[in-house]
Amino acid sequence: MQHVLGKRRRSTTLVLSLSLALGLGATQAAPSATADTSPTSATTTAVSGSTAVGGSTVASAPAGYYDDASGLTGSALESALHDIISTDVQALSYSQVWNALKVTDEDPSNSARVLTLYSGLSLPKSDNGGGVDQWNREHVWAKSHGDFGTATGPGTDLHHLRPEDVTVNSDRGNLDFDEGGTENDEAPGNYSDGDSWEPRDEVKGDVARMIFYMSVRYEGGDGFADLEVNDRVGNGSAPNIGRVSVLLQWNAEDPPDAFEERRNDLIQSQFQGNRNPFIDNPAWADDIWG
């Protein structure tokens, strides 16, 4: 698909109201599910956070976390960030992801529900699995792009896994990201054609920053493919996702909000021990790929 230049901004019918009045959750024992067809009903318990932001709790990166990236650009910056976010990481199993998403993607207005990424729906936490109208685990960096599947590592990395309605997840499939196409019937504001998916405006930047994270985090030195963004669509099973020029645009148009920042903090503090640097400093994306 050719990139649609100057495309109009669209207002979706599913605009979320992120009135962040909530408590944070702590994960319990991992569920036994090993596939999206096995729902669980594990619970979460509230814990306190660190810094109040609009009624929520959000912590910034620990002091010194990014010191080794200071003043760098281009490949040197990419290399430094890779080392930072790949150090002392706690990898989850795919079954543990169920409970983790119930914490990281909790609906700010209802602690019994999670918010889905593309459709913007609020669905019961317990209604996860593979059935119609349930939610499952969307790999924003499609797992076929590099053929890593659901293996512990990129296949279970919370920084690119989000809850999504099962059929909307299927509609996105393994499409690259670009603008244009036909509006999705079940998830208004999302568009697709034969080789790309355009998410709704409210999460365009979220998607871009997840893709940037994966490209920097997985460089081929851990037994998995070297994941890289490029400026193409239709990448198929190659370890690439595009279109980077559009992702950079989305990163600028849709900066991180409190929900995304809170999510980044929870992944570090409660689960993996690392952060998405492009949420903490979106300008780094332009410093590397701009």
Side-chain angles (χ1 to χ4, degrees), residues 60-73 76-85 87 268 275 277 280-281 284:
S60 59
Y65 187 78
Y66 292 118
D67 279 359
D68 289 344
S70 179
L72 301 179
T73 59
L77 174 60
E78 183 175 11
S79 179
L81 291 176
H82 167 77
D83 290 343
I84 291 167
I85 65 177
T87 301
Q268 181 193 17
R275 300 181 70 82
D280 293 323
N281 187 350
W284 274 334

Side-chain angles (χ1 to χ4, degrees), residues 244-259:
V244 68
S245 58
V246 175
L247 294 170
L248 288 169
Q249 176 185 328
W250 294 351
N251 180 50
E253 291 175 347
D254 175 36
D257 60 17
F259 184 89

Side-chain angles (χ1 to χ4, degrees), residues 9 11-12 15 28 34 37 62 66 78 80 99 140 149 200 207 238 258:
R9 294 282 292 169
S11 60
T12 73
V15 177
Q28 300 297 313
T34 57
T37 55
Y66 292 118
E78 183 175 11
N99 268 3
V140 178
R200 60 194 177 97
V207 166

Side-chain angles (χ1 to χ4, degrees), residues 60-245:
S60 59
Y65 187 78
Y66 292 118
D67 279 359
D68 289 344
S70 179
L72 301 179
T73 59
S75 60
L77 174 60
E78 183 175 11
S79 179
L81 291 176
H82 167 77
D83 290 343
I84 291 167
I85 65 177
S86 302
T87 301
D88 297 328
V89 176
Q90 177 64 48
L92 278 67
S93 70
Y94 198 44
S95 62
Q96 288 175 312
V97 168
W98 283 125
N99 268 3
L101 292 179
K102 294 174 184 180
V103 176
T104 60
D105 293 81
E106 181 179 290
D107 183 344
S109 63
N110 188 331
S111 62
R113 291 173 172 264
V114 294
L115 294 178
T116 58
L117 177 64
Y118 304 130
S119 55
L121 299 173
S122 178
L123 300 178
K125 287 181 177 180
S126 60
D127 200 15
N128 61 293
V132 174
D133 295 329
Q134 289 187 309
W135 63 271
N136 60 5
R137 298 160 288 190
E138 155 70 346
H139 291 77
V140 178
W141 186 292
K143 56 185 180 288
S144 62
H145 289 237
D147 195 29
F148 52 76
T150 59
T152 297
T156 65
D157 195 314
L158 290 174
H159 282 297
H160 85 120
L161 287 167
R162 299 290 292 268
E164 187 49 69
D165 174 87
V166 167
T167 51
V168 175
N169 191 344
S170 178
D171 288 344
R172 186 265 158 144
N174 68 347
L175 295 172
D176 289 86
F177 294 103
D178 201 350
E179 297 189 335
T182 302
E183 188 169 27
N184 188 277
D185 290 338
E186 192 171 358
N190 297 264
Y191 295 75
S192 65
D193 59 15
D195 54 23
S196 72
W197 177 268
E198 178 184 355
R200 60 194 177 97
D201 291 345
E202 291 80 4
V203 297
K204 279 182 164 69
D206 306 52
V207 166
R209 288 180 284 275
M210 286 185 275
I211 294 298
F212 296 151
Y213 164 87
M214 292 294 285
S215 184
V216 171
R217 171 68 180 87
Y218 297 98
E219 296 285 358
D222 49 10
F224 298 104
D226 180 6
L227 306 183
E228 296 291 339
V229 292
N230 64 14
D231 208 33
R232 298 178 51 201
V233 292
N235 279 292
S237 61
N240 305 108
I241 281 185
R243 183 181 304 265
V244 68
S245 58

